[in-house]
Amino acid sequence: RKEVEQDPGPFNVPEGATVAFNCTYSNSASQSFFWYRQDCRKEPKLLMSVYSSGNEDGRFTAQLNRASQYISLLIRDSKLSDSATYLCVVTSIKAAGNKLTFGGGTRVLVKP
Amino acid sequence: EPEVTQTPSHQVTQMGQEVILRCVPISNHLYFYWYRQILGQKVEFLVSFYNNEISEKSEIFDDQFSVERPDGSNFTLKIRSTKLEDSAMYFCASSVSGTSGSPQYFGPGTRLTVL
């Protein structure tokens, strides 16, 4: 089983609509969770950290379900500029290293 | 806004040659990382580095790879004898601390092409 699994998509979203997608992780010792976005052939850019109680940053809402080992990302009022690949990222408890484990990404295409 | 920078943006080399990829982490960050992404695949961890020592490395980071912080600003990844399968995008990242909740910020990457 992959450590971090994502639906690769693409999710085709009309501009202004809401889109949501999940990510599952296999390591129950996973400690911290992030969403990054990656544009084609560019670096991953931090979108938001994901907190246990869930958190919101503008049009983006992230949720964490430790019992079922998944995190979710919801994008409201989608903009054309939201078109990107969204990377689910987890870290595990470790004394040193702070290695990030990436999912394969979910591709989102926002269309006019 | 402070950024991680990387040079060169694109490196083409012959199989068996040595390459050095360079990174300048964000200035007040103390933890440094290298990741790679083969075209069409996910981002993979290579190595983390703190206080002039490797903290953790992956199975990919074999004896052909080494990292160094030669001065107060640069952080380098050396591949001694490149293979075709080393062709990938190499990303440097840095973070303020090494705790798992500390976000890592990525540079724009070096595209390595091994012929």
Side-chain angles (χ1 to χ4, degrees):
Chain A
R1 183 180 172 187
K2 293 179 185 175
E3 288 189 75
V4 182
E5 286 200 73
Q6 296 184 249
D7 183 338
F11 284 65
N12 294 299
V13 185
E15 193 176 7
T18 296
V19 61
F21 42 88
N22 294 339
C23 152
T24 58
Y25 59 95
S26 61
N27 185 353
S28 59
S30 295
Q31 177 76 349
S32 297
F33 308 88
F34 307 92
W35 284 105
Y36 281 73
R37 69 169 278 167
Q38 186 175 33
D39 295 295
C40 189
R41 295 181 176 245
K42 300 286 189 182
E43 75 272 25
K45 290 190 176 178
L46 178 68
L47 182 65
M48 59 196 301
S49 302
V50 185
Y51 303 122
S52 296
S53 55
N55 49 301
E56 192 174 301
D57 184 357
R59 298 180 293 106
F60 298 86
T61 301
Q63 297 282 347
L64 168 63
N65 185 318
R66 284 191 184 271
S68 300
Q69 294 184 201
Y70 75 85
I71 67 174
S72 63
L73 182 67
L74 181 145
I75 308 173
R76 283 187 304 278
D77 187 24
S78 299
K79 312 290 185 194
L80 297 177
S81 57
D82 294 333
S83 295
T85 297
Y86 290 84
L87 307 176
C88 175
V89 182
V90 307
T91 69
S92 60
I93 298 171
K94 196 169 175 66
N98 196 21
K99 156 190 163 183
L100 297 182
T101 300
F102 284 78
T106 295
R107 192 165 169 224
V108 173
L109 295 173
V110 182
K111 300 188 174 181
Chain B
E1 184 177 320
E3 292 178 337
V4 176
T5 60
Q6 290 185 242
T7 54
S9 57
H10 192 186
Q11 174 91 49
V12 181
T13 190
Q14 294 290 329
M15 190 170 56
Q17 295 297 304
E18 174 183 287
V19 294
I20 298 176
L21 311 183
R22 291 182 168 80
C23 166
V24 178
I26 295 172
S27 62
N28 65 331
H29 287 189
L30 300 177
Y31 293 78
F32 315 120
Y33 313 85
W34 284 101
Y35 293 82
R36 79 172 187 188
Q37 186 174 31
I38 295 171
L39 188 64
Q41 298 186 23
K42 65 179 183 178
V43 178
E44 299 175 289
F45 170 79
L46 292 177
V47 67
S48 58
F49 189 87
Y50 168 69
N51 200 26
N52 282 318
E53 288 184 350
I54 289 175
S55 306
E56 185 179 3
K57 59 184 181 179
S58 71
E59 291 177 356
I60 303 168
F61 195 89
D62 61 21
D63 292 343
Q64 293 301 312
F65 291 85
S66 62
V67 288
E68 190 180 29
R69 187 149 164 86
D71 53 45
S73 58
N74 288 284
F75 178 50
T76 62
L77 174 70
K78 181 193 289 188
I79 309 175
R80 289 189 186 81
S81 179
T82 50
K83 306 182 184 69
L84 295 176
E85 55 265 35
D86 292 329
S87 294
M89 193 76 150
Y90 288 81
F91 294 110
C92 173
S94 68
S95 62
V96 169
S97 80
T99 58
S100 65
S102 181
Q104 295 178 24
Y105 296 90
F106 286 73
T110 293
R111 180 173 304 283
L112 176 64
T113 302
V114 182
L115 302 176

